[in-house]
């Protein structure tokens, strides 16, 4: 792992985990990357410790779970308080995700699940009481997501693991190959 970023092995790990973290083993990633499973586990731990991998989350279909009111609530927060208000919004019952957007207006996107219309109204009032101005509310029909293609070292556009001299950045012991010794 380079100090400035991540290398191809890290990219493979991240891509595999984004694709399906629950059904992807360290051994499967290791086989694809040509390293040992312990190397993959060490890399995952380091990526987690550095905050690159922040967690593993269940992808819930709220409608199938009986909650048809999955809603995007677009809010505006005063820029100096945006981060504070976004964190506070996550504490509102029914709020499942909050995103900060780098704009002056409509800079906080709140994703909430309401039991009914009255519940969504309560969530909106709670957000307003925090200091967020509710600008728009939209029911979400479907959510689609996938892994970031730059982490796909086989088919993506991520850079390779080369030092400025063209040598393999992963070969820290200089023996011409990448092995567990390079992970120490």
């Amino acid at each position: 792992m380079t100090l400035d970023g991540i290398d191809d092995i890290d990219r493979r790990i991240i891509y595999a985990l984004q694709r399906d973290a629950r059904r992807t083993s360290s051994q499967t990633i290791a086989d694809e990357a040509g390293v040992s499973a312990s190397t993959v586990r060490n890399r995952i731990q380091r990526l987690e410790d550095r905050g690159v991998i922040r967690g593993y989350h269940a992808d819930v279909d709220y409608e199938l779970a009986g909650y048809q009111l999955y809603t995007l609530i677009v809010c505006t927060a005063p820029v100096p308080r945006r981060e504070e208000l976004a964190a506070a919004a996550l504490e509102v019952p029914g709020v499942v995700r909050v995103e900060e957007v780098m704009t002056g207006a409509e800079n906080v996107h709140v994703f909430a699940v309401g039991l009914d219309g009255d519940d969504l109204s309560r969530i909106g009032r709670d957000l307003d009481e925090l200091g967020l101005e509710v600008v728009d509310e939209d029911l979400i029909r479907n959510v689609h997501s996938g892994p970031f293609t730059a982490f796909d070292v086989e088919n993506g556009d991520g850079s390779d693991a080369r030092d400025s001299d063209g040598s393999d950045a992963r070969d820290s012991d200089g023996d011409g190959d990448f092995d567990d010794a390079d992970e120490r």
Side-chain angles (χ1 to χ4, degrees), residues 33-54:
V35 298
S36 71
S38 65
T39 296
V40 171
R41 286 189 296 275
N42 290 338
R43 293 291 191 108
I44 290 171
Q45 184 63 54
R46 280 191 238 165
L47 289 165
E48 290 171 347
D49 291 347
R50 288 177 56 199
V52 174
I53 296 176
R54 297 182 296 198

Side-chain angles (χ1 to χ4, degrees), residues 8 10 16 28 32 51 54 62 71 73 81 87 89 93 101 116-117 141 144-146 171 183:
D8 282 352
D10 297 325
T28 301
E32 291 174 4
R54 297 182 296 198
Y62 294 105
T71 305
I73 304 171
R81 295 190 62 212
V101 180
D116 54 32
R141 183 165 185 265
H144 307 276
S145 63
D171 183 20
E183 287 297 307

Side-chain angles (χ1 to χ4, degrees), residues 60-70 140-142:
V60 177
D61 185 322
Y62 294 105
E63 187 173 355
L64 287 176
Y67 303 99
Q68 295 186 357
L69 299 178
Y70 182 40
I140 297 172
R141 183 165 185 265
N142 289 310

Side-chain angles (χ1 to χ4, degrees), residues 3 7-8 13-14 21 24 40-41 64 70 72 80 94 96 100 104 108 118 120 131 140-141 148 154 163-164 181:
L3 294 176
D7 62 22
D8 282 352
I13 292 167
I14 294 167
T24 302
V40 171
R41 286 189 296 275
L64 287 176
Y70 182 40
L72 166 62
V96 296
E100 295 178 49
V108 177
D118 290 339
L120 286 178
I140 297 172
R141 183 165 185 265
F148 181 45
E154 297 296 321
D163 284 332
S164 58

Side-chain angles (χ1 to χ4, degrees), residues 108-121:
V108 177
H109 294 181
V110 177
F111 296 83
V113 179
L115 303 174
D116 54 32
D118 290 339
D119 197 30
L120 286 178
S121 294

Side-chain angles (χ1 to χ4, degrees), residues 90-164:
L90 196 54
E91 301 302 317
V92 171
V95 173
V96 296
R97 180 182 176 110
V98 179
E99 297 176 352
E100 295 178 49
V101 180
M102 299 299 294
T103 63
E106 300 181 6
N107 57 2
V108 177
H109 294 181
V110 177
F111 296 83
V113 179
L115 303 174
D116 54 32
D118 290 339
D119 197 30
L120 286 178
S121 294
R122 181 215 27 99
I123 293 169
R125 284 191 306 274
D126 289 353
L127 294 172
D128 184 63
E129 289 173 11
L130 288 175
L132 290 166
E133 176 192 348
V134 175
V135 177
D136 194 14
E137 298 178 41
D138 298 302
L139 285 177
I140 297 172
R141 183 165 185 265
N142 289 310
V143 176
H144 307 276
S145 63
F148 181 45
T149 57
F151 293 135
D152 181 2
V153 297
E154 297 296 321
N155 301 306
D157 58 2
S159 62
D160 68 1
R162 298 281 169 195
D163 284 332
S164 58

